[in-house]
Every structure is written in structure tokens, then in C-alpha cells.
Amino acid sequence: MKYSLLKLAMLGLFMTTPAIPAALAAPGDSRAPKKLMERWAIGTPGPGAGLPGWYSKAPDIHVHQPRTDARIPVAEIDLLRRRAMVVFDALMMQPSLRDVRGTSLQADINISVVPTIDGVRLVAATFSLSAKSVVDGRPGVVQRDGRYIDPDQEGAVLRVFLNPYDMMARRQVQAEGVQGGGLQIRTGSAYGLYVADRLPAYDADSEYAWAPRPLALELQNDRSWYQPGAAGVHPLLVHMSSYSQENDDLRSDRLNPERPAARLAAAMFMTDWEDVRRRMKAVA
């Protein structure tokens, strides 16, 4: 079941969160498309053309309690929520997502029990930022809070997994190399990044350079994000994806930097995820 907004308020999960400075821009990801970064990473870029897009002032929170198993404790829910809010604050300060034009942004936090292959109980949180086109004159575009959104459009999505067990266990995840303190990954042509206190083994010269399944077996026992003092490596996986053609166009640097998917990708590449993770760990 999901908590209603009223019940969450009654449980005290909407206490004011202290303002957290945005993470500094990342030093640069070697995979970032050149045209994309020329548009968003140079100087103080303008927001772009088109209708002013609606955007979430705060993420919607969805808590999916198990029907037959033990419920997720309120304290764990609140800690995951506050840590996910650090992600929201950092992303929304990135140039490509500030005062968006021609694009709307919907933020969500989903918290649930994730069934693992070995039957281990794991609580996970996923922050999602969906970006959709807003085109003046197109049927379906509506005004909300003085800005515009097209709810029925398909959107690109940037997801940040606080413990990416499910991704590693059930998706075809490939490693592309080491970037700063993180491991570059991909699913198909979609970009991603894995950061943690300790990175899994990766040797680009080895035939078996990357093995996501053993990592998944470790992550199913990692409760470091929601149980203070628990053993674990505070694993974070960032993943941006649109439909396959846009993913391909982004990777080949053919995608218009104004597109919703391109805006999300620019924010992903420009955010200092190690700094975000440090800030999340500091939330008590």
C-alpha cells in the first residue's frame, strides 16, 4: 500500500528539510557528449526557448508497504527520504534544469521492500526525475502554477538508486571504465555511473573485467543507507535513459541539447556525485 500525503504529514515525514548547498559541478566525465557540454557547461547558460515548463518544488513520495511481510519502519522511511532529498537539491541546481523551457520535470521518491533472488529482505529507495516535452499549441499541454506541462507525453527519466541491487541482479549492466571515484556503466546505449565507499573489481584488460551478479549478491545485504551503523558501502547508481533512438543519438552527440533527455544527461554529467554521496552520508 501507499501512504497518503496526509498520513505522511501526520507521521512527521514532511518536516522542513534544512537547505543543502548544491553539489559543485563534476570535474568532467570523459563520455559526456561535446555539443551537450558546450551548451550547458560553459559560463551561465540561458534556459532555452519555448514555454516555461512546470517542475516539482519537492518530490512526490511513494511508500510501498508489503502486504504480508513486516512493514518498513517510519524511521527508515524518513532517513531514506531525507537522503534522497539531497539528490533532488543537487540536480535541480544544475544549469540544464533551472528555469526549464520547453520541458517539464516531475520528481518522485519510491521506497519499497525489494525481493532478492536469495529471499533477503532489502529496503531500497529510488529517486526519479522525469522530463517531458512541452510544445506550444500541442493538444494536451496544460497550465500548472503559471507554467506548462503535457502529462500524456512519454518522458526521459534520470534515476538515482540508493542501493542498486535490483538493477545489478536483473538488468544487463556493462562497465565502461573508471571515472574519478566512480565506475562508468551502461545499459544498452544508456549512460550510468556507480559510486560507493568501495568499488567492485574492474580490470579493462581482463576477459572478465566486470561481474555485476557477484556485486548484486553483496548489495542484497547492504543496509547502510537506512540503518545507521549497518555494514555496507553506501552504494549509489545514477542512470539516465530515454527511448532507444534518443539514447543512441545522445551517445553519438547528435541529440539536440535542448531536448528533455539531453537536459537530464547534462545534469547527470555535471553533478559531482561523490560530493552528493558525502552529503547524503552526513544526513542523520
Side-chain angles (χ1 to χ4, degrees):
M1 62 178 276
K2 296 182 181 179
Y3 279 123
S4 68
L5 294 178
L6 177 60
K7 188 168 184 180
L8 282 169
M10 292 173 64
L11 289 170
L13 297 185
F14 284 103
M15 296 182 297
T16 302
T17 303
I20 300 174
L24 298 175
D29 190 311
S30 61
R31 302 170 299 162
K34 183 179 179 181
K35 287 193 303 183
L36 183 75
M37 303 314 283
E38 286 176 348
R39 170 65 179 91
W40 295 114
I42 306 301
T44 306
L51 292 173
W54 178 87
Y55 57 89
S56 296
K57 301 298 190 299
D60 289 343
I61 302 173
H62 312 277
V63 180
H64 308 272
Q65 291 284 13
R67 294 185 178 182
T68 58
D69 198 3
R71 297 170 67 81
I72 308 170
V74 170
E76 292 181 1
I77 294 169
D78 189 42
L79 184 56
L80 285 168
R81 177 191 68 83
R82 288 184 289 117
R83 285 178 161 164
M85 282 297 300
V86 178
V87 175
F88 173 74
D89 290 341
L91 283 169
M92 296 302 287
M93 289 299 292
Q94 297 304 325
S96 60
L97 303 182
R98 287 202 300 264
D99 189 25
V100 286
R101 303 300 174 99
T103 297
S104 66
L105 301 170
Q106 169 70 51
D108 295 274
I109 298 170
N110 280 275
I111 299 171
S112 63
V113 174
V114 177
T116 74
I117 293 173
D118 293 339
V120 176
R121 175 186 167 88
L122 174 68
V123 177
T126 303
F127 171 84
S128 301
L129 189 62
S130 174
K132 299 182 179 183
S133 291
V134 180
V135 179
D136 192 10
R138 186 161 61 192
V141 173
V142 296
Q143 192 171 23
R144 183 184 295 178
D145 301 330
R147 301 178 75 91
Y148 295 86
I149 184 172
D150 191 345
D152 296 331
Q153 282 293 309
E154 293 290 329
V157 183
L158 189 156
R159 292 186 175 92
V160 182
F161 300 87
L162 279 65
N163 191 329
Y165 163 82
D166 208 47
M167 173 78 81
M168 294 299 176
R170 296 184 169 89
R171 295 282 300 273
Q172 184 66 37
V173 181
Q174 298 174 291
E176 295 190 290
V178 177
Q179 180 71 43
L183 189 64
Q184 299 172 353
I185 63 165
R186 65 185 293 172
T187 58
S189 56
Y191 287 107
L193 181 70
Y194 175 85
V195 290
D197 296 340
R198 182 183 66 255
L199 294 182
Y202 174 76
D203 180 0
D205 297 325
S206 169
E207 181 181 358
Y208 303 102
W210 165 247
R213 189 56 58 85
L215 176 58
L217 295 179
E218 293 180 19
L219 293 178
Q220 71 179 343
N221 295 301
D222 192 308
R223 292 159 177 75
S224 54
W225 281 125
Y226 62 93
Q227 290 183 357
V233 296
H234 299 93
L236 200 70
L237 187 144
V238 187
H239 183 260
M240 201 297 296
S241 182
S242 183
Y243 58 87
S244 59
Q245 184 61 54
E246 279 209 328
N247 290 340
D248 292 340
D249 287 347
L250 177 65
R251 188 167 281 271
S252 60
D253 208 7
R254 297 193 304 266
L255 188 63
N256 183 342
E258 305 283 336
R259 289 284 300 163
R263 286 176 176 268
L264 291 180
M268 180 185 72
F269 286 124
M270 293 177 66
T271 297
D272 185 338
W273 292 105
E274 273 297 330
D275 184 63
V276 170
R277 209 170 58 86
R278 283 191 294 270
R279 293 177 186 275
M280 291 170 65
K281 289 166 67 176
V283 173

